[in-house]
Amino acid sequence: MAQCVQSVQELVQDSFVPMVAVLCSEEAERVTRKNNLNFAELLRPFCRLTSEGHIRDPNNQVQVVKNLRICVNNVVTSPNAASAAQRRLLNEVVSSCQPQEGAATNVITAGDYDLNFSATTPWFEAYRENFLQSMAASEHEFLNHYLACLLVVSSTETVPVEQFLKLSQEQHRIQHSGDYTNPKWFIPNTLKYYVLLHDMGEGGEQRAESVYEDMKQRYGHQGCYLLKVNSRSFSAEDDEQMPDPWSQYLHRSNLQNQEEEDAAVNSGPVENKASAAEVDSSPTPEKDGASTSLERHPLQLDTALCAEHPEPKKGAREPESLVGAAGSHGACLTLNDHDHIRQFIQEFTFRGLLPHIEKNIRQLNDQLVSRKGLSRSLFTATKKWFGGGKVPEKGVSEPKSTCGLLYPPEAPELQIRKMADLCFLVQHYELAYSCYHTAKKDFLSDQAMLYAAGALEMAAVSAFLQAGAPRPYPTHYMDTAIQTYRDVCKNMVLAERCALLSAEILKSQAKYSEAATLLIKMTSEDSDLRSALLLEQAAHCFINMRNPMVRKFAFHMILAGHRFSKAGQRRHALRCYCQAMQVYKERGWSLAEDHINFTIGRQSFTLSQPEKAVTAFRQILTNDSRQTATQQGAFLREYLYVYKSVVGGNEDSLPQLPLPCIHSSATRVYFGHERRLAQGEKQAATHVSLDQEYDQDLAAMWGQLEEQLVAAANRGIVPASFQPTQCCLNSQTDNLRYPLAVAEEPIIVEVMFRNPLKVPLALSNLSLLWKFTAEGVTPSEEVTGEAITNEESLTEGTDNVVTTQIILEFLLCPEETKMARLQLLPHRTGQLSIVGVVYNLAAAPCGETAPSCEGQQAMDFMVVRGRQDLKIQGPRLNQTKEDKMLVRHGVDRRLDPVITPPMPLMEVFFLQFPTALLCGEIRKAYVEFCNVSAVALCGLRVASTHPDFFTFGSRGLTPLTPVSPTSAESCSAYKTSTRQPGSVASEMLVSAGDFSQPSGVMEIPIDGSTLLPGESTQLPLWLRGPDHEGVHEINFLFYYQSTEKGMKISHRVLRHTVFICASRSLSVQASACRSSVPPHHRLDDKSTGGSLVFVDVENVNTSEAGVREFHIIQVSSSSQHWSLHKCINPANDRDCKLGSRERAKLCFRATRCQRPAASDAAEKYTFADVNLGNEQIISSSTPCGDFFFRGCLSPESQRVGGTASRTSSSSRILEDKAADISNIVKKCNELDLNIIVIWKAYVVEDNKQLILEGQLHVALQTIGKEVTSLTPKEEAQEMVLLKFKPEAPAPVAPPSAELSQLIKTNLHYPETHSHPFVQESLCVVPVTLTLSNCSSAPVDVLIDLRHKSPSPESVEVHSSFTWVGRTQYKLQLEPQEVLCVTLRACFLQAGVYNLNTLRVFAKLTQQGAVCEADSQQAASPALIIINNA
């Protein structure tokens, strides 16, 4: 239970106190009313004694009475108030006692719960006090019966003694006539105490003293008292403020408002009909005295009053007292008068009341002992002394109650109970316990259950209150008493009293669990208020345990709040729910949270706390609720109703709405117009769209392309302030800087809404909230009101600054996440801040039927307008140590764009742009550039991730093909001319500078290099299918800038992404070898040296593309040193056709180029075209030459240089020599011949035959090395053993295979020779050996004519011949020199001989390594036939 101001001992003592009645004369009542009080009220603050009293028990032992309080009440003869009226009284008491602001609170930490709740419950204490004091006197106990009666007469009476006599007779008549059931008196011989009240303000003090002397003679000095009051003069009223000790005791009488007080009964006591005859309008002194003296009990209610007024009124007084109740009390009393009253109470108690009680205890003890004829002391009595078990005497007509027997007043069992009650009232708890215990046994033996329960209850209390605690508190006594009251006697009032006392006792013994169980058992449906209060106290028991039971505390708080609500105690219900919410909040108890929040919202709204109600309903709607759709709909309607009531007509400042949920971090901002879709055959550039998902790698790729473009536009230097353009900002982009937007271009904000409910939400008039500061306004001016905003209910007149788009309807289905794209169009330059969104919220109708007029009006009423702010948290900082230790977030400025002046805006459209190509296929498309802004643009460039995919052509080399796409359907993309096949190749010198360089950036050749506003231009665009099959993503980034300089935005970009599906076409394999024909036997004198080029072409196309066959129409070459000379295929059919999986072999002769002496000729490329059909394609023009330069020439092929290595000086010298050898040998074997195979493919599509064109490239770099156009798939590399210590480099020696290529040898001899061996036995045949130095360095040659051993591969024909003459020749050949040596071979007989038996060794003149020359050629036989003539 909660903490109480009183201890449990004080509580019990104050609950059972001696009762004293008051009868006042009319004049005495008039004297006390000067202080807005009656006599009983006048005494009430002073009824607690400040000193100890003493009595003697029947054994003549002195008992000390401490802290005694007496209860003084006016005599009320009306019957007890109805139970309903008592309930209303207690309800009002609890309602008037609310927790104070700033009251003491308990903070309890239990586990991970931190609870803050009220430490005390004054409303419960007030309820308990009023409940105990308002209990009607019962027949089975005497604790609430009056022990004495104060007879009060004013000293101003003519004959005061006569008035005392009248009051004494009136008291006797009330007690003994039998006409009144109330009040009840303790003993027949009630103590009468005579009080003479003297008004000091009216004088006559001597007369009062004389009357008092007469009273002492008549009644004895211990039975009367002279009380002097009203000593204060009214002149001093303004100078001195007197204390008012009565207000705390009389506040219960002022619970009603002034209107109810005005309507109250205005005079005298209100009697029931049985006693109405005694209270009439007759002015007889007796009637007047009786009527004025029979005041109502201040805590009892009159039935007539309750019938007239639904709310009870406690205590009826004169109209002047009611009017004065609002003012001060005791205005005529001084502090001395207070002391007089306090002294009077002490005198009355010590000299009158306590001796009277002591005397009655002795008398009862004597009567009981004498009646039984036993010992005179109860301390040695046993059950047989009191005749326990004897059936009580009853009259014939006396009924038997449901609780057992009813005893007559003189029954000895009641005398024991009466004596026990007297002992209890004077704190003689040991004797009281003995009497209660004895009476309990008698009552139980007689089955008088009501009496037994009362005895058990008081026996338990007496046992607890005994000093020194000789015996433990008998809890089972209380449990039995409560069960008997409740179940047997059906008296919940007595059961409740018993439970309240027992719970306090258990709490004082720290038995919180037993106290909580007891309190919970006392809850029932007959009284919501009692159940609520007891459940709340049970909750406090759970939280005050040694191990606090937090969830039980919260659960019982919820139950208490529910019962408080049923009892009409809304404030207490709200408080209970709020305290319980501390336990259930954010703990996963979603349904419990919803119930609590809903109840808090309703109670707060009922108690005119709309803000708190709105907050509670917000919690229901924003949490992820597990309620049903019907329940959530009810919650939503309740919230809308409360919100509408809170806002009312005042919508100047829009409050925050909880629905729908907004994911602020997912907000995306797009700057610019949305992309236009394709117009007819035009395909618009994809650029950036809100429909695209953000990719970090793609963004980095676009940034690199833009950096290349900016560098190209700024002479190769990237400005330090360069930042990649971000058209769409999201949570993954860099939002640290203020984004730049352009005036007259829209800003689209995509907001993610989520409906957490299972019911649809209807949003209307949805728009953005923004704040705009014009350019040039300082922050100080902005504060003074220069900032323009549309927050004030979307004020008019802001469209000239920013045009705000409004979405009229936006429906969110249950649990749906939906994007809303809201648009702003700025018109002025400055700083724009997007604050949030504003909209109307309503619950969407679930059905599809149209609502009725009344339903539509209700729906309109349930539409509320509010806002939600977009607060975006930046990324978490993780740079410094403080950032890592703390949780810090950076800034995110995606919603704070800077509006810049208008900029050019370009749109790009593509015409006849394919989606599928064959590998190497050439296709012509068109691109259109449109300036759709009011500003001219220039500096148009494009960068791509695949620069070899497209070309705009080269200046002066572009073929004269139609510009219009419509006239180009059957036109070839190549520049062609007519030429007969089989002729020598046509050659053309072209400079690489005439073509666009193979870099990522290309300038777009538009006329005048400027696009004016509204102007558009169309350019041809040649495309070449990728060399590898598959789907290729090709990205274009177009760059342009304004013609005006000094803009905040230096340039703008436009993105375009295409996907090309490439399918296989042809596979080209090429190789080259040196020609073995000696120079002087060539048919032409084209060059001093030549090579053979073999080209294998295979159709690797699958039938999926519908390609019927490929035609190889031309083979071209491009090189700075070599060119194709002629096709030397033996086949007669020049037109090469390839079906599926067919292969063709072509052989060409290549010769070195004869360059003019011009200085720039060395840098030019020679294009040679060998056409296989009647049509020649000029390969040196666009697009063939463009794609050659963009595809074949890579920057790596033009690099010359060695790799540096960290070696010693000696090894570096060796490496330098080896590098020289390698370079010489490499140049010797270099060919650097690029082959271009041009083909046509015949495709059947939609019953039409189409002709496709294309070209494939292979680069022959080295003689003898085969290359292919289709690169083989890379195989996984084998694992290499890691070496942690570098090994010493091995000496580098040139490989023999390379040195063997230094010298080329040819043997020239007749194929057949006839010789008459009969006439001459020796046949000598001349043989010419031609030596060619293929390198650019002098070479030493050694010719050895001695026969070498034949290799296994060579054919052994006949070896019986010999070389005659010198057997060795040592020669030196200059670079590129050709030398002929004449040899003689001698044969002895006819036959076939292999002349290739000589060995040629070559070495560089400066080097020492020697290698046999042309080993591959030497391995082939040179056969001669010798015939016998």
Side-chain angles (χ1 to χ4, degrees), residues 1120-1138:
Q1120 291 178 320
H1121 310 290
W1122 294 82
S1123 67
L1124 293 181
H1125 178 61
K1126 193 176 182 180
C1127 179
I1128 56 175
N1129 256 24
N1132 295 325
D1133 187 9
R1134 298 288 183 180
D1135 190 6
C1136 185
K1137 299 180 181 179
L1138 295 178

Side-chain angles (χ1 to χ4, degrees), residues 1003-1022:
E1003 293 189 8
I1004 299 175
I1006 59 175
D1007 295 336
S1009 68
T1010 302
L1011 270 183
L1012 299 177
E1015 188 180 355
S1016 63
T1017 184
Q1018 196 174 86
L1019 295 176
L1021 179 71
W1022 287 270

Side-chain angles (χ1 to χ4, degrees), residues 1274-1293:
E1274 295 183 359
E1275 297 181 358
Q1277 295 183 354
E1278 296 182 0
M1279 188 175 297
V1280 181
L1281 183 64
L1282 291 177
K1283 296 180 179 180
F1284 297 98
K1285 186 176 181 180
E1287 298 179 356
V1292 180

Side-chain angles (χ1 to χ4, degrees), residues 287-322:
K287 292 292 184 183
D288 290 344
S291 65
T292 56
S293 63
L294 298 182
E295 288 286 342
R296 299 176 63 247
H297 191 285
L299 296 176
Q300 290 179 337
L301 295 173
D302 177 65
T303 54
L305 183 63
C306 295
E308 183 179 354
H309 301 283
E311 292 296 330
K313 187 164 183 61
K314 297 182 261 327
R317 291 196 294 273
E318 295 287 339
E320 62 231 40
S321 67
L322 290 175

